[in-house]
Amino acid sequence: MEETDCLFCKIVAGEIPAEVVHSTERTVAFRDLNPQAPTHVLVVPKAHFANAAELAAGDPVASAELVTAAAAVAAAEGREDYRLVYNTGADAGQSVFHTHLHLLAGRSFGWPPG
Ligand code: AMP
């Protein structure tokens, strides 16, 4: 289910390097290249879906696994408090159209988000 020219499909396939910190049957977690917090990890499904809603509809087990994987990474990094973010669509800040859950931790976060 790899999509040609998808950056995160290439990371999942090992064709583009990334600092992988966790993986499960259906997910891979790697550090964001441009971290916005001391811990900034992206958790992605191995299969290609464009956004969080498409993943939830197409593979609900993988969708749940993204959250449990993010919690496992937070625990491994000693982060009790963390923020999970899905950007969906360019206006919401999505720049890579392969579902990814941002795990952010290690500093205080404001609300509402910018
Ligand atoms: P979004 O803007 O929500 O689509 O998030 C995409 C994220 O991917 C951004 O936070 C980028 O910094 C990150 N990113 C882009 N290219 C890479 C890469 N090669 N390895 C790791 N993270 C990346």
Side-chain angles (χ1 to χ4, degrees):
M1 274 180 100
E2 184 179 340
E3 183 116 321
T4 318
D5 287 336
C6 169
L7 174 63
F8 289 173
C9 283
K10 290 186 193 309
I11 287 178
V12 167
E15 293 165 9
I16 289 179
E19 189 182 345
V20 173
V21 295
H22 189 265
S23 65
T24 67
E25 187 183 343
R26 297 177 181 79
T27 74
V28 176
F30 52 90
R31 295 201 190 281
D32 196 291
L33 206 57
N34 181 23
Q36 302 301 311
T39 293
H40 188 174
V41 168
L42 304 174
V43 191
V44 309
K46 289 179 177 173
H48 183 89
F49 292 90
N51 57 49
E54 287 195 10
L55 174 65
D59 189 345
V61 174
S63 179
E65 209 165 291
L66 284 197
V67 177
T68 53
V73 172
E77 305 223 341
R79 308 297 192 189
E80 278 188 30
D81 299 345
Y82 54 85
R83 181 170 286 185
L84 300 180
V85 175
Y86 285 113
N87 296 322
T88 299
D91 279 354
Q94 187 175 9
S95 60
V96 179
F97 291 83
H98 178 127
T99 314
H100 50 285
L101 180 57
H102 292 260
L103 163 64
L104 297 142
R107 66 171 174 86
S108 295
F109 298 102
W111 192 264

